[in-house]
Amino acid sequence: MIASPPASGGNGNLAMKNKKSTAAQKLFLVDGHSFCYRAYYAIRHLSNSKGEPTNAIYGFITMLNKLIQDYAPDHIAICFDNRAPTFRHERFKDYKANRSPMPDDLSQQIEPIKDMCRAYRYAIFEMPGYEADDLIGTLACTAEKEKYEVFIITGDKDAMQLVDDHIKILNPHKDGYVCDREGVRKKFEGLGPEKVVEVMALMGDASDNIPGVPGVGEKTAVKLIQEFGTVENLIKFAGKIKSKRLQDMIKDNSESARLSKELATIDIKVPMDIDWEKLELGPPDEEKLVGLLQRYEFRNLLKGREVPCEESGRGDCNYEQVKDEKALKALAANLKKAKAFSFDTETTHPDPMRAHLVGLSFCWEKAKAYYVPVRSDKHQGQGLPLETALEVLRPALEDAKIEKYGQNIKYDYMVMKRSGVTIAGIADDTMIASYLINPVKLNHNLDDISLEHLSIRKVTTESLIGKGKAQITMDQVELEKITDYACEDADCVFRLMPLMRKKLEEKNLTKLFDDLEMPLMLVLAQMEMNGVYLDTELLGALSKKAAADLLKLTVKIYEEAGEEFNINSTKQLAEIFFVKKKFPAAKKTKTGYSTDMSVLEKLAVQYELPRLILEYREKAKLKSTYLDALPEMINPETKVVHTSYNQTTTVTGRLSSSDPNLQNIPIKTEEGREVRKAFIPRPWKGAAGRILSADYSQIELRVLAHFCGDKNLMKAFKEERDIHNFTANLLYGVAEKDVTFEMRNVAKTINFSIIYGKSAYGLSQDLGIPVGEADAFIKNYFTRYAGIRDFLESQKEKARKQGYLTTLLGRHTYFPEISSTNGQLRQFAERTAINAPIQGSAADLIKLAMVAIQKRLEKESFQSLMVMQVHDELVFDGPEPEMGRLESLVKKGMEEAYALKVPLRADVRVGESWYKN
């Protein structure tokens, strides 16, 4: 029997309510603080758009929900420690004295975690003067008497003293390990749960600062209790201990052993009210829960929940299907009268270059929308003939005086263009507006922003077409269902735009939205439709060469390893590296030793095998991602590859590319650069084709010079000096003509390291020099470029004060964690604050250039096409006779995109492919 501490254990009377037969019912008792810590360390660097840490909240709830889903308990209680001192602190003032304080960003999440538990209606217990273990112990022992099957959810071995016939410990983090009486006996070499406290009294507990007996570990403690039974017996018969040293230790520390036993004993008679009905699992408080999930931006957890709407529901919406030509003409007439309308398409495919129209939806009045289903020989859908629908709707769609709203309207524009209709008057895109308003937000899809700004939970695409192998296409969806879905899309977009406009104005983002991002959207649409032409024969030859190289590398790797193994298996590779070869292990994950890129790069400095593995991985990735994949992505209709340029995915405003990603083609190795040889001009009538590429020269350093006004940096650019030679001249004190390759390389690395806010340690890793030497370089750099130092410090301070910084064109870059009490998060935010406005401004500049250049290409009737944007580079495909004019146009467009305090420079190259030496 586990004793209750006499000093503070209370009178042992439990106020019981609702006693009833509960045979075979499962009660789960969760150690709340243990769960909080596990959640905190399992998920790092998660916060909402306000900068509040949310990793522990999210981890706690998802872990708890999974526990309930996997094990289906009938009742649950979550027990937390209270901040007030316990009876143990009164008995021993140094109890838990060595424990590190809870991290501040975890401490901030404890109350929100409890709020979440209450919203889910999970019972919470917490009492001044007692620890969670005491509450768990009391609940467990009381519940056992009430015939519950009790499972204590913890990884703490202290709880083993509570194990009984109907009380077990469940550790879901160890593959659902359940510890019963036999499990305790196995752990303590035959000793049962009733002896756990005896063992702990002798061995102590460093985490709780329970002293125990110095020099007695777990094995010795177990042997002593096996022989003497209890601490009291051991003290009484200490003279019979065979070891003289142990005899003295026990005699000298008998009081410490008694105190330790008292401290380690869980109180099972805490005076607490227990209402078993309140511990029953049931439905959550939906209104409270949804509010909290929205508050902390847990959109994944909101899926499937009903969100309270401002409207009375879809029943009040008038969504109509246009069934005949008469209704179609009436719709077209109303559209022509509207000042603005929202517009959306339903299609057969997510790729706009492969999609066929299934229907179109329109809205020009809140809660009222129309859907026009169309039929064609391209799909199974029903409705009006496609040609008829487009001809009737064309006048309104192509009228530039009528404003058009959309969600990712670039997609709709491209689909309609391929169908022969050029949408004019495009004014607003809810996705782009949402992105500008909150670039930190992960998703800007219509479901998310409708939920966030309208409190409307939309019908999901998945609910219509399913997912996985069972997924169907939109043309196979029932007309009634697709009508409601499509009309709701158009309705939500129409309702959102006034709200989006207001928020853009509040943040001074209207000009950026109207003058850059919306015009750019049309440029991107045209670029995507243009596509890039590929030399498939060359890609095939390069793929064969890569396959042969990989085969040779495989043989070398096997020879170096001394055996054959699966090179792509992390587990087998780690076995070769760290067990057989005994390489020094750098990182360990939950599944074993890491063999990621950073580990391999460090090991490759000393050993041949990791160098070979690095080379193998690089060639294998190049082959699978580009050499083999690109030919498969050629559109059979257009004979070119069409990437997608994503306008709303980066926090800095940079564009990204996907399906395929043309911005990540490697350029550091010759094999990577050779892939660019396959990017060639398309066949042009009557003339040979050429590829023109134009790169901004050191754009981020020029932006930095503009922002900081440092006299040395500005001088270098105004005098058209080689900036890296110029920096080396300042750092080393030698004439620019005497700067060596190594000096220039150091200067170049430092120039770009400063932009990215790298520390002395980071620079030392890049240059392969001691940290002290790197630190001296940085200090010397800031002595020569004092204006840069002052600017970067002012940027960090400004970011701390207002939470964001702005680019040249007023784009907001946010740093929610810059005031975090977590040093690692705060330092990362500070580095980002240094770089993001510079990188974002560089992104603004090339976007301005793209809009201006495309306008001139169209105005001056060029055949040449803008086909790619790769960060600071633009790529064009055109007939050779246009190259002279095109070179002049592009260079002028890029260099005159914006008037910086230093000149912008673009390097232009014309060739038979995109390849550069």
Side-chain angles (χ1 to χ4, degrees):
M1 188 68 180
I2 301 167
S4 167
S8 306
N11 58 20
N13 295 322
L14 301 178
M16 303 294 296
K17 299 179 184 177
N18 304 309
K19 291 185 180 179
K20 59 181 179 179
S21 174
T22 54
Q25 293 218 338
K26 287 188 290 186
L27 167 65
F28 276 28
L29 301 174
V30 180
D31 182 340
H33 272 72
S34 172
F35 237 57
C36 286
Y37 270 95
R38 182 171 283 276
Y40 175 76
Y41 287 109
I43 302 172
R44 305 308 302 269
H45 312 324
L46 184 66
S47 59
N48 63 9
S49 59
K50 299 181 184 71
E52 299 167 321
T54 58
N55 58 320
I57 308 170
Y58 183 78
F60 188 99
I61 292 302
T62 51
M63 281 169 24
L64 195 57
N65 288 348
K66 187 176 189 305
L67 177 75
I68 292 167
Q69 181 183 343
D70 289 350
Y71 298 99
D74 303 291
H75 296 67
I76 194 165
I78 304 159
C79 300
F80 290 93
D81 292 335
N82 189 272
R83 290 185 178 182
T86 67
F87 63 85
R88 296 181 180 88
H89 292 93
E90 293 173 9
R91 288 286 292 118
F92 182 49
K93 67 176 183 178
D94 289 332
Y95 179 65
K96 292 191 176 181
N98 295 337
R99 185 169 290 189
S100 300
M102 180 180 287
D104 287 345
D105 53 336
L106 172 56
S107 180
Q108 293 172 47
Q109 299 180 71
I110 298 300
E111 286 308 314
I113 285 171
K114 293 175 186 175
D115 289 340
M116 281 282 187
C117 291
R118 294 183 189 103
Y120 275 102
R121 292 200 174 105
Y122 300 146
I124 291 176
F125 289 87
E126 179 180 2
M127 283 185 70
Y130 298 95
E131 295 182 47
D133 285 349
D134 302 316
L135 306 181
I136 288 171
T138 301
L139 284 164
C141 294
T142 308
E144 185 184 31
K145 294 173 185 175
E146 295 295 314
K147 309 299 183 186
Y148 285 94
E149 281 293 320
V150 181
F151 293 85
I152 299 170
I153 315 302
T154 185
D156 193 341
K157 66 176 180 292
D158 297 7
M160 288 184 176
Q161 63 186 280
L162 298 170
V163 170
D164 209 337
D165 292 340
H166 299 286
I167 301 174
K168 300 177 180 67
I169 294 170
L170 168 64
N171 190 337
H173 311 298
K174 286 190 176 180
D175 298 323
Y177 171 73
V178 175
C179 179
D180 54 10
R181 280 183 172 277
E182 188 54 40
V184 177
R185 282 193 283 268
K186 187 175 179 181
K187 164 70 176 169
F188 291 106
E189 298 181 28
L191 298 177
E194 68 282 355
K195 299 298 182 182
V196 170
V197 170
E198 311 292 343
V199 172
M200 291 183 66
L202 297 178
M203 63 182 281
D205 187 339
S207 65
D208 287 344
N209 202 35
I210 296 175
V213 175
V216 174
E218 184 176 314
K219 286 187 177 180
T220 303
V222 167
K223 287 179 181 177
L224 289 172
I225 297 303
Q226 284 173 337
E227 184 177 352
F228 294 95
T230 66
V231 168
E232 289 76 15
N233 274 346
L234 175 65
I235 293 168
K236 185 176 179 180
F237 300 108
K240 294 185 177 182
I241 300 173
K242 294 176 183 177
S243 165
K244 181 68 169 62
R245 184 186 68 83
L246 266 180
Q247 276 186 33
D248 294 340
M249 292 295 287
I250 297 299
K251 289 175 182 177
D252 292 344
N253 293 280
S254 59
E255 285 307 309
S256 178
R258 290 190 181 96
L259 173 64
S260 296
K261 180 174 178 179
E262 189 176 334
L263 295 174
T265 300
I266 293 174
D267 186 350
I268 61 168
K269 294 183 179 179
V270 177
M272 55 195 294
D273 292 339
I274 306 174
D275 184 342
W276 296 112
E277 284 189 359
K278 289 184 178 178
L279 272 66
E280 285 184 31
L281 277 169
D285 181 336
E286 285 292 338
E287 184 177 350
K288 188 174 182 180
L289 179 58
V290 165
L292 287 169
L293 295 176
Q294 288 177 308
R295 164 81 173 75
Y296 294 105
E297 301 173 9
F298 298 148
R299 292 181 180 85
N300 283 343
L301 298 179
L302 274 168
K303 287 179 181 176
R305 315 204 85 87
E306 282 299 323
V307 177
C309 296
E310 294 174 6
E311 311 302 320
S312 58
R314 288 186 189 88
D316 288 347
C317 297
N318 183 7
Y319 294 161
E320 292 184 24
Q321 181 191 134
V322 176
K323 297 181 178 179
D324 53 43
E325 199 168 333
K326 180 181 177 182
L328 178 67
K329 288 178 178 177
L331 170 64
N334 283 323
L335 291 174
K336 280 293 286 180
K337 287 186 245 175
K339 290 182 179 179
F341 60 80
S342 61
F343 162 68
D344 190 33
T345 60
E346 302 307 329
T347 68
T348 57
H349 202 284
D351 180 351
M353 294 304 294
R354 296 173 188 259
H356 298 289
L357 270 171
V358 172
L360 306 91
S361 56
F362 302 89
C363 176
W364 62 90
E365 184 181 340
K366 180 180 176 181
K368 190 174 184 180
Y370 298 85
Y371 177 63
V372 183
V374 296
R375 69 174 186 269
S376 77
D377 58 0
K378 303 291 186 183
H379 58 74
Q380 303 174 34
Q382 302 300 307
L384 293 161
L386 175 62
E387 297 79 7
T388 302
L390 293 181
E391 283 311 306
V392 173
L393 295 169
R394 183 189 302 276
L397 290 169
E398 294 190 342
D399 189 339
K401 294 176 183 176
I402 306 170
E403 291 189 345
K404 317 298 190 301
Y405 309 156
Q407 163 74 15
N408 188 21
I409 203 168
K410 172 163 66 90
Y411 176 92
D412 306 303
Y413 176 87
M414 293 171 66
V415 169
M416 295 302 293
K417 184 93 170 173
R418 287 181 55 241
S419 299
V421 176
T422 302
I423 308 297
I426 293 176
D428 291 309
D429 187 318
T430 46
M431 181 177 76
I432 296 173
S434 172
Y435 165 69
L436 287 183
I437 291 162
N438 186 4
V440 178
K441 180 175 153 72
L442 295 177
N443 292 313
H444 300 278
N445 58 57
L446 190 56
D447 289 12
D448 260 21
I449 58 182
S450 296
L451 186 63
E452 181 179 354
H453 298 286
L454 301 175
S455 293
I456 289 176
R457 174 167 290 287
K458 284 182 66 278
V459 174
T460 63
T461 308
E462 194 176 282
S463 68
L464 266 67
I465 63 173
K467 59 181 179 179
K469 292 181 180 178
Q471 190 177 75
I472 60 174
T473 50
M474 277 294 185
D475 54 306
Q476 297 170 286
V477 177
E478 296 170 32
L479 275 178
E480 186 178 335
K481 286 184 178 179
I482 199 171
T483 295
D484 283 346
Y485 170 83
C487 285
E488 186 181 50
D489 276 3
D491 183 19
C492 284
V493 168
F494 191 78
R495 297 193 208 193
L496 279 166
M497 267 330 298
L499 301 176
M500 299 280 101
R501 278 282 173 186
K502 186 177 179 182
K503 290 178 183 293
L504 289 169
E505 287 169 14
E506 288 170 356
K507 293 176 177 278
N508 295 316
L509 293 167
T510 303
K511 185 173 175 60
L512 180 66
F513 179 72
D514 289 332
D515 295 351
L516 181 61
E517 294 294 348
M518 289 306 296
L520 177 72
M521 179 275 298
L522 291 172
V523 175
L524 297 178
Q526 189 59 56
M527 280 177 62
E528 290 179 26
M529 294 182 77
N530 292 340
V532 291
Y533 197 78
L534 296 176
D535 183 339
T536 52
E537 286 188 14
L538 176 60
L539 288 171
L542 291 174
S543 179
K544 285 181 182 177
K545 182 179 182 299
D549 289 346
L550 285 168
L551 195 58
K552 291 176 185 175
L553 273 172
T554 300
V555 172
K556 285 184 181 179
I557 288 168
Y558 289 162
E559 286 175 356
E560 194 68 30
E563 64 179 89
E564 293 188 10
F565 65 100
N566 181 354
I567 298 172
N568 297 312
S569 166
T570 299
K571 186 177 179 181
Q572 290 184 37
L573 190 59
E575 181 77 16
I576 296 287
F577 275 16
F578 307 116
V579 177
K580 182 176 179 181
K581 294 286 186 179
K582 300 192 185 306
F583 293 160
K587 272 199 292 188
K588 198 170 185 181
T589 66
K590 290 180 180 178
T591 55
Y593 290 108
S594 171
T595 59
D596 66 15
M597 187 70 75
S598 63
V599 171
L600 289 175
E601 285 174 345
K602 286 179 181 177
L603 291 173
V605 175
Q606 291 180 268
Y607 306 103
E608 177 68 4
L609 182 55
R611 189 194 65 74
L612 292 171
I613 297 293
L614 276 173
E615 190 179 347
Y616 179 93
R617 285 186 182 178
E618 189 176 285
K619 286 184 185 292
K621 183 179 180 182
L622 190 69
K623 184 177 186 297
S624 63
T625 307
Y626 295 107
L627 302 178
D628 295 340
L630 283 174
E632 298 296 317
M633 302 183 85
I634 293 174
N635 186 300
E637 183 182 325
T638 64
K639 311 302 180 188
V640 295
V641 168
H642 304 274
T643 187
S644 291
Y645 285 102
N646 309 304
Q647 205 171 345
T648 62
T649 54
T650 67
V651 295
T652 61
R654 267 192 169 190
L655 297 173
S656 67
S657 162
S658 57
D659 303 319
N661 182 350
L662 299 181
Q663 296 185 334
N664 269 10
I665 296 174
I667 56 171
K668 290 183 179 179
T669 63
E670 181 55 29
E671 289 93 339
R673 287 192 295 274
E674 281 197 334
V675 176
R676 294 190 172 206
K677 287 183 179 178
F679 287 73
I680 60 174
R682 67 202 67 211
W684 290 96
K685 288 183 181 178
R690 289 290 180 267
I691 295 293
L692 182 148
S693 61
D695 262 307
Y696 267 129
S697 171
Q698 292 145 358
I699 183 66
E700 292 187 357
L701 286 171
R702 291 174 191 269
V703 170
L704 176 60
H706 173 84
F707 276 138
C708 74
D710 181 87
K711 62 180 182 180
N712 280 329
L713 193 59
M714 292 182 72
K715 178 183 178 183
F717 286 124
K718 285 180 177 179
E719 294 178 1
E720 299 293 342
R721 311 272 278 276
D722 179 315
I723 187 62
H724 305 313
N725 269 6
F726 184 84
T727 299
N729 159 240
L730 294 179
L731 287 176
Y732 291 99
V734 298
E736 285 185 60
K737 65 181 179 63
D738 296 324
V739 170
T740 64
F741 173 81
E742 290 76 16
M743 289 176 180
R744 187 182 186 277
N745 187 51
V746 168
K748 181 178 180 179
T749 303
I750 296 175
N751 276 331
F752 289 115
S753 292
I754 294 303
I755 292 176
Y756 288 92
K758 282 198 177 178
S759 63
Y761 175 78
L763 181 61
S764 74
Q765 295 296 297
D766 290 345
L767 292 175
I769 60 176
V771 175
E773 192 176 331
D775 185 54
F777 268 128
I778 291 175
K779 286 176 180 174
N780 193 16
Y781 184 93
F782 282 139
T783 300
R784 303 301 188 274
Y785 291 122
I788 296 179
R789 178 197 60 217
D790 295 343
F791 169 71
L792 298 182
E793 287 305 313
S794 70
Q795 285 287 90
K796 286 190 276 188
E797 186 57 34
K798 191 175 180 182
R800 271 190 286 270
K801 284 183 179 177
Q802 61 185 30
Y804 70 92
L805 296 171
T806 54
T807 65
L808 282 170
L809 300 188
R811 183 187 308 279
H812 289 200
T813 52
Y814 291 90
F815 316 100
E817 290 155 346
I818 199 154
S819 297
S820 172
T821 52
N822 182 309
Q824 190 177 356
L825 290 180
R826 185 176 62 255
Q827 288 166 16
F828 177 78
E830 287 177 350
R831 290 195 297 273
T832 307
I834 288 171
N835 175 249
I838 296 171
Q839 190 182 100
S841 294
D844 287 347
L845 290 176
I846 200 161
K847 286 178 177 180
L848 283 171
M850 291 168 72
V851 171
I853 291 168
Q854 182 62 30
K855 191 178 291 185
R856 280 196 60 191
L857 288 175
E858 293 171 6
K859 184 179 179 181
E860 299 177 27
S861 301
F862 272 81
Q863 293 182 68
S864 297
L865 306 170
M866 193 187 310
V867 294
M868 280 192 287
Q869 191 263 20
V870 182
H871 303 313
D872 304 325
E873 178 182 12
L874 296 178
V875 182
F876 299 81
D877 176 355
E880 188 175 27
E882 285 190 355
M883 286 300 111
R885 282 198 306 139
L886 181 64
E887 182 174 349
S888 175
L889 184 157
V890 171
K891 188 172 179 65
K892 183 180 175 68
M894 292 178 73
E895 293 184 348
E896 296 181 3
Y898 190 92
L900 292 181
K901 294 174 185 175
V902 296
L904 282 171
R905 290 290 175 262
D907 299 322
V908 182
R909 177 195 168 276
V910 176
E912 294 180 357
S913 73
W914 187 28
Y915 177 78
K916 297 177 186 177
N917 293 318

